Amino acid sequence: MGELTYPGNGIPDAFRSVLDELPGGVLVYRGTREKEILYASKGVIQMLECKDAHEFINYTFGSFRHFVYIDDVGRVEREIDEQMRSSKDLHDYVNYRVRTITGKIVYVENFGRRVKLPGEGDVFCAFVMDSRVKDLTRDIDSLTGFPGQKRFLEHAGNELKHRSFNTEAPETAILYFNIKNFKMFNVQYGGKEGDQLLRDVADILKEVFPHDYIARFADDHFVVLTDYVDLKLRAREVYQKLVSLRSGVRLDAKFGVYHVTDFNVNPELACDLAKLACDSIRDRLDVHILEYTDEVWNLSELRNYAVYHIDEALKNGYIKVYYQPVMRSLSGTLCGLEALARWEDPEKGFISTGIFIPALEDSRQISKLDMYMIEHVCQNYRERVNRGEPVVPVSFNLSRIDFFTCEVLEELNRITDKYCVPHYMLNVEITESVFVHDFRKISEEIDNFHKAGFQVWMDDFGSGYSSLNVLKDYSFDELKIDMEFLAHFTEKAKSVIESTVRMAKKIGVQTLAEGVETKEQLDFLKSIGCEKIQGYYFGKPMPYDNVVERIKEQRWVTETREMAQYYDAAGREDFLTNRPFALLEDDGTKFRYLFVNNEFMKSLATAGTTSTDMSEHTINDNASPLSHLFRNFANEIAESGKEQVLTYTSKNQYMRLRCKTIASCGNKHIHRAELINVTFNSDQRQQDMLDGLVRNIYYLYNTVFIINFDENSCNPIVASASSWEFLHQKTYGLEEVRLSYARQNIHPDDQERFLEFVRLDNMEQRIEDSPEGMIADYFRTKGADGNFTWDVHTIISIPKTNGKVFLYTAKLSPPGRRDPPQTRPQGIHQRRQTRTENSRKQSRIKNKKKDCGKWETIHHSPFCVGKWAVGPVYFPERR
């Protein structure tokens, strides 16, 4: 202190008197190691219960280091240094304890700023306040007309004293009322609308408490001195009026009650305890009013304990990192973990996250915990990779405070570089409360996370007040649906979740539901396409070694990065379609259903298949003709990458399967499938046509489609990969299909002859003139491998269509019939002069058919005998 006899010498009396009247106190000290105090206002001196400046100097040795409680000095100096380095405007905020001259421990908050004074160098100017002055405001609030805190306390003191002498005085209580997230309302709707909301709330309080004393302590905090009887009912009335105050705006409030059982209680203490009860439920969605009890006090003590012991807990490992599994709903594979903090204190036992996390946020120390968690997650990753053990991405939470107290991305990069952790292995979870502050800064931070390769998830979607606005304004990779939706598993809750999942898919965002506890919840979430599941159904948060044991016990498959991308692609599909939809996984040897909706099951049931197990057995049974058909079809669609259609028969029903490969990983493919019973979805004429023409052809021909002159279209039934591109284009006219097919699928040397074969203007007449009731010829045709083979092409007129509908087929010609065009057999594309010989063949076949006692195949020709049948003909037993 030099020759200064007490702090403040040299400051004009007028200025000193003004500073002495401020609530709290002002402290000025040098920025040197000794932290010499240059000035202390009257409030600071009284804070230590010193009589005057001389006693204050002697007690503190004139140093800020002795002003702070000895156990907190090191922490406070470190925090001030850290904040000064990261703060652009050179200010700091710390909280610590001071011990008064009488031995009391007082908790104080310190707001400081570093300045350079001529002749003095670096000087810290700090505003210091304790709980007695923290909420002081003006005596009369100009906005609402309510008295301020000081006047309320004076009135409450007098009223309680008066009631202490009145034996008939009613039970008394102090109600502390706080509008939840009022700052968010101000940000969203502006200051003027915020002021109007406060005036409207004041009117509600006057209406519900017309004869009681009401005060506005600060911002959106109101206090009422009232009767205890029916207080909770009146508080509920205030709440109901508040939530309906603004149409389309979700408002919420919390109420704390202190029941006055001793009229000699200090009014300030009674208000503090009511506020304590109010604050203790601010993060609970299920409770809006709470009465102060000893338990509330104990919770408050734990919050304070957490604030002042976090450094010790981190240093000594009292904070444990637990992990909770995240499962893929589609495949049942382990796709991730969430890292969660657990505080196991040797003195206080288990401290709930609902206590220590808000406490650390309020004291601006949460970044210590968050960086500690990230460090442990990365260290665990490196250890497992070094041992050659599988790993999955881990998500972790960041607090809104992190974005203002440290360089989050810089710290993340430093830690991941230290342990060589790929950024795609870490997912950043951010709650909606982050976005109340500084839109531009948070938006830039999220963009920077994405540029650095981190995914950003929105945690607890739906729990806040403006989730949709946040989703609209910021870019997220995944939504974590708030578990509160699942707590009340009603039809309305299901509808909300369903709409959320559908909306997320439309904007390209994945979904994860947390808090899943039952099979019913899991089945519902899978049915609507929610991609990931987290909750006690799969496992509670546990130490990593326990997670590993659970993975082994449950035999969970751990996803690789390639598997994750593979299933992510499937998860983007719309599971809520009204069409018969399924996802079919093919590993090259077997098929399995990953997902089947009700409409798809109905289609299967029409052909006698009552379960997915039954369907899987049929298509995987090597003895079944369908198995070979499905295998070839699956290979074709996987190779082509295009949507294709397969029509097949099952239990006398014609089924049309439309498939496309949407994801591949190694030899595995996921096919999107739609299944329609053609028989049920056609009119009688179409059914007759199919019954007469198409039975069994699907197993014999590589190309089958229907030419419809009335519709000027080609309707594909079976198509090879090479021809599908043209046959599938129903919007093409017949002439365009004819030319395109010839150009793309027929050997150049055969194209002129082919175009003559498929002439449209005389097709009906040529078939009518043919004794076989069909026309056919050989052409070199491009196969699935791109090579040309001699295929036999056939056109048949479909009966009862007046020559307007024809069946076109193509198949590889049998051995001995693959001659070049100049030597091809004369039995094909015959002229009139050969009809007699053909008639004789027809007669011989009919005679054979009469003699047939069992099923018999006629092999004399690659075509079926008969006017409109194709392929080898199977004749039933004759009686």
Side-chain angles (χ1 to χ4, degrees), residues 316-331:
N316 296 329
Y318 302 154
I319 305 288
K320 310 290 185 183
V321 181
Y322 277 40
Y323 296 85
Q324 189 170 27
V326 177
M327 306 299 294
R328 180 87 58 177
S329 65
L330 196 62
S331 59

Side-chain angles (χ1 to χ4, degrees), residues 722-723 725-726 732-755 758 779-782 786 788 793 808:
S722 60
S723 59
E725 181 177 356
F726 303 100
Y732 284 7
L734 288 174
E735 183 61 23
E736 188 174 3
V737 171
R738 172 177 172 266
L739 296 173
S740 298
Y741 186 87
R743 184 171 59 252
Q744 297 296 327
N745 293 275
I746 303 300
H747 193 281
D749 294 343
D750 295 346
Q751 286 182 12
E752 182 177 351
R753 189 166 52 83
F754 176 83
L755 290 174
V758 291
F779 301 98
R780 282 169 287 187
T781 310
K782 185 183 293 185
F788 288 94
H793 293 245
Y808 187 106

Side-chain angles (χ1 to χ4, degrees), residues 577 579-582 600 656-659 672-676:
T577 177
R579 299 183 61 81
F581 167 75
F600 195 95
R656 179 170 296 164
L657 182 67
R658 187 181 301 274
C659 281
R672 181 186 64 226
E674 291 185 4
L675 182 68
I676 297 175

Side-chain angles (χ1 to χ4, degrees), residues 112 118 132 146 292 388 433 613 674 677 735 797 860:
R132 293 169 295 178
F146 286 156
Y292 171 81
S433 59
D613 288 343
E674 291 185 4
N677 187 317
E735 183 61 23
S797 177
H860 86 284

Side-chain angles (χ1 to χ4, degrees), residues 718-847:
V718 177
S720 66
S722 60
S723 59
W724 175 256
E725 181 177 356
F726 303 100
L727 301 181
H728 181 56
Q729 304 297 326
K730 296 183 181 179
T731 56
Y732 284 7
L734 288 174
E735 183 61 23
E736 188 174 3
V737 171
R738 172 177 172 266
L739 296 173
S740 298
Y741 186 87
R743 184 171 59 252
Q744 297 296 327
N745 293 275
I746 303 300
H747 193 281
D749 294 343
D750 295 346
Q751 286 182 12
E752 182 177 351
R753 189 166 52 83
F754 176 83
L755 290 174
E756 182 64 22
F757 172 71
V758 291
R759 276 183 59 185
L760 302 174
D761 58 351
N762 65 355
M763 184 178 291
E764 180 184 2
Q765 185 63 49
R766 285 186 287 136
I767 292 174
E768 190 172 308
D769 291 344
S770 170
E772 295 93 357
M774 61 183 178
I775 56 176
D777 207 341
Y778 294 105
F779 301 98
R780 282 169 287 187
T781 310
K782 185 183 293 185
D785 58 0
N787 295 319
F788 288 94
T789 59
W790 284 103
D791 285 11
V792 59
H793 293 245
T794 309
I795 306 176
I796 304 169
S797 177
I798 295 177
K800 301 181 183 179
T801 64
N802 297 320
K804 299 297 183 182
V805 183
F806 300 85
L807 188 72
Y808 187 106
T809 69
K811 63 174 289 186
L812 186 68
S813 62
R817 288 304 183 103
R818 301 176 187 172
D819 310 300
Q822 60 269 26
T823 62
R824 65 186 186 276
Q826 292 299 309
I828 298 175
H829 209 46
Q830 305 256 357
R831 293 292 182 258
R832 190 176 299 274
Q833 62 267 26
T834 64
R835 288 180 184 172
T836 304
E837 177 60 25
N838 283 331
S839 298
R840 293 195 187 103
K841 288 184 180 180
Q842 287 277 53
S843 299
R844 289 197 296 270
I845 293 169
K846 289 179 181 177
N847 291 333

Side-chain angles (χ1 to χ4, degrees), residues 373-522:
M373 295 287 292
I374 295 169
E375 180 97 20
H376 274 255
V377 167
C378 291
Q379 183 179 10
N380 182 66
Y381 168 87
R382 177 46 47 202
E383 290 172 354
R384 288 189 62 80
V385 170
N386 288 345
R387 293 195 298 266
E389 297 171 349
V391 291
V392 290
V394 177
S395 64
F396 57 88
N397 292 274
L398 287 182
S399 166
R400 66 184 186 277
I401 305 300
D402 292 333
F403 292 91
F404 302 96
T405 58
C406 70
E407 295 295 332
V408 182
L409 184 56
E410 186 178 313
E411 284 298 301
L412 260 176
N413 286 329
R414 180 187 64 80
I415 297 171
T416 53
D417 288 348
K418 177 180 176 181
Y419 295 100
C420 299
V421 180
H423 291 184
Y424 61 78
M425 295 300 295
L426 297 175
N427 302 316
V428 180
E429 294 189 24
I430 306 176
T431 58
E432 184 184 309
S433 59
V434 170
F435 306 99
V436 180
H437 309 277
D438 200 337
F439 169 89
R440 181 175 298 176
K441 177 177 176 60
I442 301 300
S443 183
E444 289 176 355
E445 288 287 350
I446 290 178
D447 288 342
N448 290 335
F449 279 133
H450 281 138
K451 290 175 183 176
F454 296 101
Q455 281 204 4
V456 181
W457 296 1
M458 183 176 179
D459 194 15
D460 291 338
F461 177 80
S463 64
Y465 294 88
S466 57
S467 298
L468 291 178
N469 281 329
V470 172
L471 191 58
K472 171 178 66 71
D473 295 333
Y474 298 90
S475 175
F476 296 99
D477 300 287
E478 187 158 302
L479 300 184
K480 293 192 71 173
I481 299 173
D482 182 25
M483 61 189 300
E484 279 299 309
F485 281 127
L486 297 176
H488 308 286
F489 203 51
T490 62
E491 289 304 315
K492 181 179 286 188
K494 290 180 182 180
S495 296
V496 172
I497 299 172
E498 183 178 310
S499 299
T500 301
V501 170
R502 172 170 277 170
M503 172 196 65
K505 286 183 185 292
K506 285 185 177 181
I507 61 176
V509 177
Q510 293 183 303
T511 51
L512 184 158
E514 58 181 347
V516 178
E517 297 182 355
T518 67
K519 180 73 162 54
E520 179 190 12
Q521 292 172 345
L522 172 63

Side-chain angles (χ1 to χ4, degrees), residues 595-634:
F595 176 80
V596 176
N597 71 359
N598 290 333
E599 294 303 313
F600 195 95
M601 286 304 305
K602 289 177 183 177
S603 291
L604 283 176
T606 61
T609 303
T610 56
S611 69
T612 54
D613 288 343
M614 186 176 177
S615 178
E616 286 179 3
H617 175 75
T618 301
I619 60 180
N620 289 320
D621 183 3
N622 291 330
S624 166
L626 272 180
S627 174
H628 301 286
L629 185 68
F630 271 66
R631 170 53 49 212
N632 293 333
F633 181 62

